[in-house]
Amino acid sequence: MVRTLLVRGLLLGLLAGLIAGGFAFAFGEPQVDSAIALEEAHAAQEAPGHDHGEEELVSRPGQKAGLFLATGLYGLAVGGVFALVYAGLRGRVGPRSEGGLALAAAGTAFVAVILVPFVKYPASPPAVGNPETVDSRTFLYVVMILVGLAAVAVAVATARRVTAGPWARWVAAVAAFLVPVIAAWALLPTVNEVPVGFPATLLWQFRIASLGTQLVFWTAFGVLFGWVSDRAARRAGVVAATATPAG
């Protein structure tokens, strides 16, 4: 069963990654083009007469084509990990139905792995950020992902211990999730490397497109995985009912 789920996760993750790549191509790449144009214009002012295009290792058309490769590989990796986690969750936590569990798990993963770190450290276009701080920024982002995952684990454990009713269980779970997340947002250092004069509209359009790409991926993946899982469960139920002798 785990092998079946793993193959399902890989294939549907790849498909969801390509769907997200299409969204990123349509809504994110125009902002990247604008940010690169601003960066090149600024560089040209600082060093007139220097051809900055010769420093480009991969052309923009190549980068745009590689976008789908990147989102497809991302979908493969995430789909495989999700399938293994999903196999461990079945029958233990979350909704009883296969589709409901898939949607709940995908939504939880989006909040913990994408939304929680994004609120503290939102994505920035190529023209924003100091190359010398890449390692520290990456470390802080990973820390926020770990905080989000830990907060989910604490929330699930808390909900399972509350027996006062569904509303009390939900309130306790949300509170248990928010306490470590808000603490991390407050205590971790802020990173603000947006250069003076960078267009605020362009910055937020890029960030919205970046978050939207992840939202499209996780929505598509959760819906597809849940739909296929529900169909497989119904088919298995029909086969089991057919195989059971009457009487």
Side-chain angles (χ1 to χ4, degrees):
M1 185 61 184
V2 174
R3 180 179 179 182
T4 301
L5 289 173
L6 180 59
V7 172
R8 184 184 303 165
L10 291 171
L11 293 178
L12 296 180
L14 174 61
L15 178 57
L18 295 176
I19 293 172
F23 179 90
F25 183 84
F27 296 98
E29 285 301 305
Q31 278 71 51
V32 175
D33 288 335
S34 298
I36 290 175
L38 284 173
E39 186 179 29
E40 290 178 346
H42 179 72
Q45 290 178 352
E46 292 186 345
H50 179 68
D51 183 10
H52 297 274
E54 64 186 14
E55 300 175 0
E56 190 176 65
L57 298 178
V58 182
S59 66
R60 281 297 294 146
Q63 292 174 10
K64 291 181 179 181
L67 170 66
F68 290 93
L69 175 62
T71 57
L73 292 175
Y74 172 81
L76 276 172
V78 170
V81 173
F82 181 91
L84 296 177
V85 174
Y86 179 86
L89 294 176
R90 293 173 74 236
R92 293 181 175 87
V93 296
R96 295 294 181 182
S97 70
E98 299 282 340
L101 177 59
L103 288 174
T108 302
F110 172 77
V111 172
V113 179
I114 305 300
L115 190 59
V116 166
F118 182 88
V119 171
K120 181 66 177 180
Y121 303 115
S124 297
V128 175
N130 182 357
E132 297 180 356
T133 64
V134 170
D135 290 342
S136 61
R137 284 185 282 128
T138 302
F139 174 76
L140 291 172
Y141 194 86
V142 171
V143 169
M144 279 306 312
I145 292 177
L146 296 177
V147 169
L149 292 174
V152 168
V154 171
V156 171
T158 301
R160 298 184 71 176
R161 286 181 171 83
V162 175
T163 58
W167 280 106
R169 189 178 301 115
W170 274 104
V171 170
V174 171
F177 175 81
L178 288 177
V179 167
V181 168
I182 293 176
W185 284 343
L187 297 176
L188 288 176
T190 300
V191 176
N192 184 11
E193 297 182 348
V194 179
V196 177
F198 191 89
T201 301
L202 175 59
L203 178 64
W204 281 105
Q205 284 176 343
F206 176 86
R207 288 177 172 175
I208 291 173
S210 177
L211 184 62
T213 299
Q214 291 289 349
L215 180 60
V216 167
F217 171 80
W218 283 103
T219 301
F221 180 70
V223 170
L224 288 169
F225 196 96
W227 177 67
V228 173
S229 297
D230 266 344
R231 288 195 53 170
R234 286 196 298 268
R235 187 161 52 246
V238 170
V239 172
T242 306
T244 302

